[in-house]
Amino acid sequence: MIERLDILVVGAGPAGIAAAVTAAAAGKRVGLVDDNPAAGGQIWRSGAAQPTAARTWLERLAASSVVRLQGWRIVDAPSSGLLRAEGNRGCRDLGYDQLILATGARERFLPFPGWTLPNVMGVGGLDAMVRGGLPIAGKRVVVAGTGPLLLAVAAHLTRKGAKIVAIAEQASLRRFVPFVSSLLGEPAKMMQGVEYALSTFGSRVYTGCWPVAASGKEMLDTVTLRMGERQWEERCDYLACGFHLVPNLELPALMMCHIDNGFVVVDGSQQTSISGVFCAGEPTGIGGMEMAILEGEIAGLAAAGKMDAANDRSQRRRRSLGFVRALSTVTELDPRLKQLATDATLVCRCEDVSFGRLRDHASWREAKLHTRCGMGACQGRVCGAASEFLFGWDAGSIHSSVRPPLYPVQVSSLGHPDKLADEGDSLSPACVLAPKEIE
Amino acid sequence: MPDPAQVHLLVNNVPVTVAQGTTVASAILIAGIPTRRSVTGEPRGPLCGMGICFECRATIDETQHQRSCQVLCAEGMEVRTT
């Protein structure tokens, strides 16, 4: 039996929660499916003090009629109006009339010698591990890469007792300072902690600076940083390194939503090129939490047919687009970062394909066919974004190479839906279905 | 009396005690071992922390290839890395 929902929302971060809660308040039967153990997405992870906005929206979600499928990932869109979700012990098909994609973003990772060593992680990556129970007190951490996440995570890890050895931001001081100033002029923005972070880390914040090597035997112990002509080593337990965010476009691409310049194209009501399919949050442009909530509300209202209210918010969204532009300018990558990888440096971590084996290929497709780059477990989620920057390969071809299943799946999930283990649990309003509830 | 705020599990047969709400990936880091060996034998640990990089995959209660950053530790859980 296939459950049919008026509106299905994919992704329970700020955009998805706002969309689901808003649509449910308009009287629709709404489902919210998400692959993490708990709602909140990457930014509203539990395990730490939650910002007010997070508490408010998570409470609204808990009090709503939204059917929540937590710990389920979408693996296929087998036919129009249908998505297939896989949990840890089974699979179920979800029918919908309207779909809202709020798939969020991931970090962009760039290869440099030693980046595959254990304890070299993303910036959000290390933060997620700490929020997931990793003790960090007394540990020496280098935070590197680019974007507002660096200072925000450094501030959080400091509160948890970590010793931040250095913060290496690739953007030049000339770009970085005006950006921070513009954020401070808008106190409601996500970087409220910037002033605090700068006063705390002061001399340990390096701009125009990046890691050129990570080293250690079996595990990280030293990071080499470079700033202009100066190069030095920092001993540390963890390197948190991420070069801002790239949107999760696999599902929008699979559904054939029009993608331009790396983002899903939407109209004023957040509707994509596919009628009845909406998109909200980072996949439409990296704009941060407040923008994501606004877009989620617009999509939820529009999908529920409340066009007047959607239009009101859409005008507010247009006024906030300046922030999105400022963010994309400051996080623009320095071309010298293309020279960090040596011929021996791995680019594809799943299939262990080195930079030297990739650099002479003309396209993502050619590289995949000849080297298996991007064909391992992560399906190019890490090396795709890196390759786009390193080799200038057409991003469109990387997105168009998406095929189902979107993630490696259990063999049983490939079967006919009638044979899938989706009987038994009905989706009653406000129910929360964890993956292990299906046997 | 076991402390309800603590969870006991085995990582490669070594007992590990963690706070409730800890992910399996964090438990593996606490145990101080790699999550997996790459196809050419390199040690690897978690990278993204959000279920996209697959570096943290491990065998959890006999189910292979689980992304350990997406799974919370449970009492008596058995985790194996390769």
Side-chain angles (χ1 to χ4, degrees):
Chain A
M1 190 187 76
I2 293 162
E3 301 282 349
R4 187 151 276 284
L5 298 151
D6 295 332
I7 298 170
L8 178 61
V9 182
V10 181
I17 291 173
V21 168
T22 307
K28 297 293 181 183
R29 183 169 146 78
V30 179
L32 176 60
V33 58
D34 185 79
D35 62 354
N36 291 283
Q42 301 310 319
I43 192 158
W44 288 346
R45 267 175 190 275
S46 55
Q50 296 272 14
T52 314
R55 277 203 308 276
T56 307
W57 280 103
L58 289 168
E59 279 166 15
R60 280 185 203 167
L61 177 64
S64 73
S65 65
V66 173
V67 173
R68 294 156 60 187
L69 291 101
Q70 205 65 53
W72 295 81
R73 53 200 161 264
I74 302 298
V75 296
D76 196 2
S79 60
S80 176
L82 203 63
L83 291 184
R84 184 163 298 170
E86 190 188 63
N88 286 345
R89 303 193 186 172
C91 182
R92 67 189 305 152
D93 281 1
L94 302 165
Y96 61 84
D97 291 332
Q98 317 257 345
L99 180 65
I100 300 174
L101 303 172
T103 49
R106 56 179 176 255
E107 289 181 86
R108 186 199 300 269
F109 299 106
L110 295 181
F112 53 87
W115 78 297
T116 55
L117 273 174
N119 292 352
V120 178
M121 298 182 212
V123 177
L126 179 59
D127 197 54
M129 300 306 298
V130 170
R131 289 174 192 266
L134 176 69
I136 200 73
K139 300 292 185 186
R140 294 170 62 85
V141 180
V142 172
V143 181
T146 199
L149 208 51
L150 269 55
L151 290 173
V153 167
H156 176 234
L157 298 182
T158 300
R159 287 197 297 277
K160 288 280 189 177
K163 162 91 177 128
I164 304 297
V165 179
I167 299 174
E169 161 63 59
Q170 64 92 37
S172 65
L173 194 62
R174 203 159 44 100
R175 275 195 174 158
F176 187 66
V177 167
F179 173 70
V180 171
S181 314
S182 78
L183 288 175
L184 294 175
E186 295 184 72
K189 287 295 175 204
M190 62 178 174
M191 284 306 293
Q192 283 164 340
V194 163
E195 195 166 23
Y196 161 80
L198 282 177
S199 65
T200 307
F201 303 116
S203 61
R204 279 166 288 146
V205 180
Y206 304 96
T207 52
C209 177
W210 46 77
V212 292
S215 54
K217 192 177 181 308
E218 293 276 301
M219 197 170 271
L220 173 77
D221 62 37
T222 304
V223 175
T224 307
L225 296 173
R226 181 183 295 162
M227 186 170 70
E229 297 301 305
R230 187 182 159 211
Q231 189 165 307
W232 73 101
E233 290 185 348
E234 297 280 8
R235 291 190 70 80
C236 60
D237 300 295
Y238 296 100
L239 167 60
C241 185
F243 292 85
H244 200 44
L245 305 175
V246 289
N248 292 322
L249 295 177
E250 286 74 16
L251 184 55
L254 183 71
M255 304 205 63
M256 312 286 280
C257 296
H258 182 47
I259 294 169
D260 184 40
N261 206 14
F263 294 102
V264 176
V265 178
V266 291
D267 65 14
S269 66
Q270 301 297 132
Q271 187 164 234
T272 68
S273 59
I274 311 286
S275 176
V277 178
F278 299 78
C279 187
E282 310 295 39
T284 71
I286 304 295
M289 176 192 69
E290 288 176 22
M291 190 67 146
I293 292 171
L294 193 54
E295 292 186 0
E297 289 181 297
I298 296 167
L301 289 165
K306 305 276 184 193
M307 295 314 295
D308 287 347
N311 286 337
D312 281 352
R313 283 178 175 72
S314 190
Q315 281 166 22
R316 264 171 54 202
R317 174 181 179 267
R318 274 194 289 279
R319 288 196 292 274
S320 299
L321 284 174
F323 171 72
V324 178
R325 280 191 292 274
L327 197 54
S328 84
T329 304
V330 75
T331 57
E332 208 169 275
L333 297 180
D334 191 303
R336 285 173 288 180
L337 294 169
K338 291 179 188 177
Q339 284 133 37
L340 297 184
T342 67
D343 274 358
T345 307
L346 297 184
V347 175
C348 170
R349 304 169 61 115
C350 295
E351 297 289 327
D352 285 5
V353 185
S354 66
F355 182 83
R357 289 177 61 203
L358 288 172
R359 63 173 180 187
D360 293 331
H361 291 290
S363 69
W364 176 244
R365 182 181 154 78
E366 192 186 302
K368 283 176 87 169
L369 289 173
H370 286 96
T371 69
R372 289 199 52 79
C373 175
M375 295 177 75
C378 94
Q379 288 286 294
R381 283 176 171 83
V382 174
C383 63
S387 297
E388 193 187 323
F389 172 69
L390 292 175
F391 308 113
W393 292 335
D394 175 29
S397 73
I398 296 179
H399 305 138
S400 65
S401 72
V402 170
R403 301 280 184 281
L406 291 177
Y407 288 98
V409 294
Q410 311 281 333
V411 172
S412 60
S413 300
L414 297 169
H416 190 275
D418 290 350
K419 301 273 193 290
L420 302 175
D422 64 353
E423 309 89 23
D425 306 283
S426 69
L427 299 179
S428 55
C431 78
V432 180
L433 206 58
K436 64 179 66 160
E437 284 168 30
I438 282 191
E439 287 295 340
Chain B
M1 273 288 285
D3 182 349
Q6 297 210 308
V7 177
H8 306 82
L9 65 160
L10 293 174
V11 180
N12 293 349
N13 287 326
V14 177
V16 177
T17 302
V18 298
Q20 198 155 38
T22 299
T23 63
V24 175
S26 289
I28 295 171
L29 282 175
I30 290 167
I33 54 171
T35 48
R36 71 178 193 104
R37 293 270 158 186
S38 76
V39 294
T40 59
E42 286 190 358
R44 294 287 168 80
L47 173 70
C48 76
M50 56 183 281
I52 65 113
C53 75
F54 286 74
E55 288 286 18
C56 70
R57 61 194 192 268
T59 300
I60 301 174
D61 287 339
E62 296 183 354
T63 306
Q64 292 181 305
H65 304 302
Q66 297 290 296
R67 283 170 288 173
S68 62
C69 72
Q70 300 292 89
V71 181
L72 298 180
C73 294
E75 189 64 32
M77 194 176 247
E78 287 185 32
V79 179
R80 293 208 151 272
T81 67
T82 50

